[in-house]
């Protein structure tokens, strides 16, 4: 992911959650994509769990 700041993006995700802002489906999908591209499968698992805990269903398009 040339030119992208993975750590900074992860920090933004943490800040969003700490501020009590409810993430939407786009936020969860973006975080999931970030973790997968960075080969952080633990982060990807947490993104999927967070998405489902927030009431968003995962579909095939989520994993593509």
């Amino acid at each position: 992911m040339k030119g992208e700041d993975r750590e900074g993006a992860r920090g933004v995700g943490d800040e969003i959650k700490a501020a009590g802002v409810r993430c939407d489906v786009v936020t969860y999908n973006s975080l999931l994509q970030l973790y997968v591209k960075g080969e952080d499968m633990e982060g990807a698992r947490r993104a999927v769990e967070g998405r489902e805990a927030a009431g968003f269903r995962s579909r095939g398009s989520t994993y593509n």
Side-chain angles (χ1 to χ4, degrees):
M1 294 180 62
K2 188 175 181 180
E4 294 185 27
D5 181 4
R6 287 188 205 112
E7 291 302 319
R10 288 183 186 123
V12 169
D14 292 340
E15 288 177 27
I16 289 170
K17 292 174 188 173
V21 175
R22 185 173 185 260
C23 295
D24 63 8
V25 69
V26 174
T27 305
Y28 284 112
N29 281 348
S30 297
L31 287 171
L32 179 59
Q33 182 180 21
L34 172 78
Y35 292 130
V36 169
K37 284 186 177 182
E39 299 179 3
D40 179 354
M41 295 304 111
E42 179 61 26
R45 183 189 61 75
R46 285 192 315 269
V48 170
E49 288 176 353
R51 174 191 169 109
E52 292 174 355
F56 298 110
R57 288 184 349 181
S58 294
R59 300 185 305 194
S61 59
T62 300
Y63 300 105
N64 288 332

